[in-house]
């Protein structure tokens, strides 16, 4: 019987289930040693075969074998041509904005991650002469109404952080494409396991890999995947120029996280749905935001474009900021902390935490009330999480 070389282990292809693809996408087995996880290549530079004959990798700011393995993996999971890993989600978003010439106009959601809003409105408006319109994207007509001759990018986030609005990716990306405008979807909350924006028509998909992809609150990273190889090449050139790349140790951690992504997402979603249902029936809860609840305005759309509803649940507690503080301080299993998407459950007040960088008036216009609480539901036992929330609400 002839031996099969390690490099013969090919990627599983788009027909395999997500559970299989999360483990095998990118064919990351090391061709030389057969190591099933790629080595962490720390070298910043790579010796040339001879003068004028560089090898595949030249300098780690441009490419690195460990980062390449992660990029191949995420590109394949998203169904794209090329992945580019950045030092954080924010660096990835900045990398997408670098595609735009000064004077370009960008349409972005009214309600989305506060840090992205800060980068758009308070940094790139000033430093790159970009202009932004923030519109409620739950109604695709609002995007059409905001179009200008100089519009070059539509930035979509769905589900949105924190109010979990659901945006019709197919409708908005079709509109953008019909006007030769780029579209990019922040897919952080859904992950490729629940939603694949490129297959719905987007040109670019972006992730804060700090969240579900990494999944263990121990690595900061960002990834952009381009549907088209040329767009991928442009992003690569721009990233090499600006230098905000993901280091090899961090690339390895994100890749390791992705191996269990499908399994984790199943549990995140099941726990979140159980908590949303529980909160809906609680007298101290004024309103629950979770796209898996039939009463959520985006429920039907979420069922169409997502395979499950994600691990974040938000709710408004009856009362003011003091009631929020009392509830958060009574929790035992949920840590009061920024961030989301990791194995452990976290809770916070968007107004003073994830969205504190958004000025109060803008935050109110986004619909983020002071009594809003965001839960990043982890993968602990469902009964334990429900018991923790119940004692914190009832005591
Ligand atoms: C939806 C979303 N996009 C982007 C980011 C930014 O990612 P990072 O913190 O990795 O820079 C975050 C961070 O919370 C986020 O929630």
């Amino acid at each position: 019987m002839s031996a099969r070389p390690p490099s013969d282990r090919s990627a599983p292809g788009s027909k395999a289930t997500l559970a299989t693809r999360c483990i095998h996408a990118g064919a990351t087995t090391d061709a030389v040693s057969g190591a099933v996880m790629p080595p962490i290549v720390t070298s910043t530079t790579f010796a040339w075969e001879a003068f004028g004959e560089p090898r595949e990798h030249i300098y780690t700011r441009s490419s690195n074998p460990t980062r390449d393995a992660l990029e191949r993996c995420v590109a394949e999971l998203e169904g794209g041509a090329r992945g580019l890993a950045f030092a954080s989600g924010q660096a990835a978003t900045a990398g997408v904005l670098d595609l735009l010439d000064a004077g370009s106009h960008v349409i972005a959601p009214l309600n989305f991650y506060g840090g992205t809003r800060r980068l758009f409105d308070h940094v790139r408006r000033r430093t790159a002469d970009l202009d932004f319109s923030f519109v409620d994207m739950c109604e695709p007509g609002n995007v059409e109404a905001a179009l200008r001759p100089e519009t070059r990018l539509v930035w979509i986030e769905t589900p949105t952080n924190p109010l979990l609005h659901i945006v019709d990716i197919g409708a908005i990306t079709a509109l953008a494409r019909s006007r030769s405008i780029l579209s990019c979807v922040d897919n952080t909350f859904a992950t490729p396991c629940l939603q694949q924006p490129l297959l719905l028509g987007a040109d670019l998909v972006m992730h804060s890999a700090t969240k579900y992809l990494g999944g263990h609150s121990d690595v900061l990273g960002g990834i952009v995947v381009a549907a088209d190889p040329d767009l991928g090449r442009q992003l690569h050139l721009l990233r090499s120029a600006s230098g905000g790349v993901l280091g090899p140790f961090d690339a390895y951690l994100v890749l390791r996280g992705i191996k269990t992504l499908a399994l984790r997402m199943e549990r995140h979603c099941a726990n979140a749905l159980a908590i949303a249902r529980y909160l809906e029936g609680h007298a101290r809860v004024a309103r629950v935001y979770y796209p898996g609840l039939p009463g959520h305005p985006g429920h039907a759309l979420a069922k169409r474009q997502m395979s499950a509803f994600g691990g974040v649940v938000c709710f408004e507690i009856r009362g003011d900021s003091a009631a929020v503080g009392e509830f958060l301080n009574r929790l035992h299993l949920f840590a009061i902390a920024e961030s989301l998407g990791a194995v452990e459950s976290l809770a916070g007040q968007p107004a003073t935490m994830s969205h504190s960088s958004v000025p109060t008036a803008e935050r109110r216009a986004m619909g983020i009330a002071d009594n809003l609480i965001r839960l990043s539901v982890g993968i602990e036992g469902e009964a334990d999480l429900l018991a923790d929330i119940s004692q914190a609400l009832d005591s």
Side-chain angles (χ1 to χ4, degrees):
M1 198 168 75
S2 62
R4 189 176 66 146
S7 56
D8 199 32
R9 303 215 16 234
S10 59
S14 59
K15 288 214 171 64
T17 60
L18 251 301
T20 299
R21 290 161 61 202
C22 281
I23 292 163
H24 296 286
T28 53
T29 298
D30 182 48
V32 177
S33 67
V36 296
M37 283 302 281
I40 303 173
V41 178
T42 56
S43 191
T44 52
T45 191
F46 299 84
W48 294 32
E49 300 273 9
F51 177 68
E53 293 176 34
R55 295 175 214 249
E56 181 185 354
H57 301 285
I58 296 174
Y59 186 59
T60 278
R61 171 153 45 76
S62 185
S63 74
N64 168 280
T66 316
R67 195 169 62 233
D68 273 18
L70 169 67
E71 292 172 344
R72 282 200 308 277
C73 170
V74 182
E76 204 176 308
L77 290 178
E78 288 286 6
R82 177 136 190 204
L84 279 314
F86 291 81
S88 67
Q90 288 304 96
T93 302
V96 172
L97 294 186
D98 284 343
L99 288 166
L100 307 177
D101 293 331
S104 298
H105 172 245
V106 178
I107 303 177
L110 184 59
N111 164 271
F112 71 148
Y113 173 55
T116 314
R117 169 102 184 204
R118 175 169 57 177
L119 174 65
F120 285 9
D121 216 15
H122 300 288
V123 182
R124 291 304 177 96
R125 191 187 282 283
R126 181 175 56 82
T127 61
D129 193 24
L130 299 179
D131 197 9
F132 298 90
S133 297
F134 299 102
V135 304
D136 177 0
M137 288 199 180
C138 294
E139 178 42 67
N142 292 339
V143 176
E144 186 157 20
L147 288 172
R148 296 185 200 161
E150 64 276 17
T151 306
R152 296 286 177 271
L153 174 69
V154 177
W155 184 273
I156 298 168
E157 185 179 293
T158 182
T160 62
N161 180 1
L163 292 176
L164 305 173
H165 290 173
I166 304 296
V167 174
D168 190 334
I169 297 174
I172 294 180
T173 57
L175 172 68
R177 195 162 287 247
S178 73
R179 313 287 174 98
S180 303
I181 295 168
L182 283 178
S183 58
C184 180
V185 178
D186 183 336
N187 203 25
T188 300
F189 271 43
T191 82
C193 288
L194 309 188
Q195 168 175 282
Q196 292 164 311
L198 301 185
L199 306 187
L200 295 169
D203 297 302
L204 297 161
V205 60
M206 172 268 160
H207 285 275
S208 165
T210 316
K211 316 301 181 196
Y212 292 103
L213 300 188
H216 295 76
S217 299
D218 58 2
V219 60
L220 198 72
I223 300 200
V224 179
V225 178
D228 169 69
D230 274 344
L231 195 53
R233 252 190 301 280
Q234 280 180 56
L235 276 166
H236 178 249
L237 279 174
L238 291 164
R239 189 192 61 176
S240 296
S242 57
V245 294
L246 191 67
F249 286 102
D250 292 344
Y252 178 84
L253 281 175
V254 176
L255 189 62
R256 186 168 72 161
I258 291 172
K259 302 283 174 187
T260 57
L261 180 64
L263 208 53
R264 285 187 284 110
M265 289 314 290
E266 265 181 50
R267 179 67 84 91
H268 282 298
C269 294
N271 281 351
L273 184 59
I275 288 172
R277 285 182 176 146
Y278 171 79
L279 289 170
E280 209 180 22
H282 201 286
R284 290 202 59 212
V285 174
R287 185 166 174 188
V288 182
Y289 299 82
Y290 187 66
L293 295 175
H296 185 286
H299 180 63
L301 175 57
K303 264 170 76 174
R304 250 194 359 257
Q305 74 182 15
M306 302 173 74
S307 59
F309 306 103
V312 176
V313 178
C314 291
F315 68 101
E316 285 165 10
I317 196 165
R318 290 195 194 283
D320 52 13
S321 265
V324 171
E326 277 163 27
F327 169 78
L328 293 177
N329 282 331
R330 282 193 195 119
L331 290 166
H332 299 304
L333 278 178
F334 285 79
I336 305 172
E338 301 265 3
S339 203
L340 58 106
V343 290
E344 64 281 321
S345 292
L346 306 177
Q349 182 192 36
T352 55
M353 296 170 73
S354 61
H355 287 66
S356 60
S357 64
V358 182
T360 309
E362 283 174 33
R363 207 169 54 234
R364 299 237 158 96
M366 287 165 116
I368 300 169
D370 289 351
N371 63 343
L372 183 74
I373 293 169
R374 188 183 77 187
L375 302 176
S376 170
V377 181
I379 64 168
E380 300 94 334
E382 177 186 309
D384 302 321
L385 295 178
L386 285 171
D388 195 29
I389 290 174
S390 158
Q391 64 77 27
L393 279 175
D394 295 333
S395 51

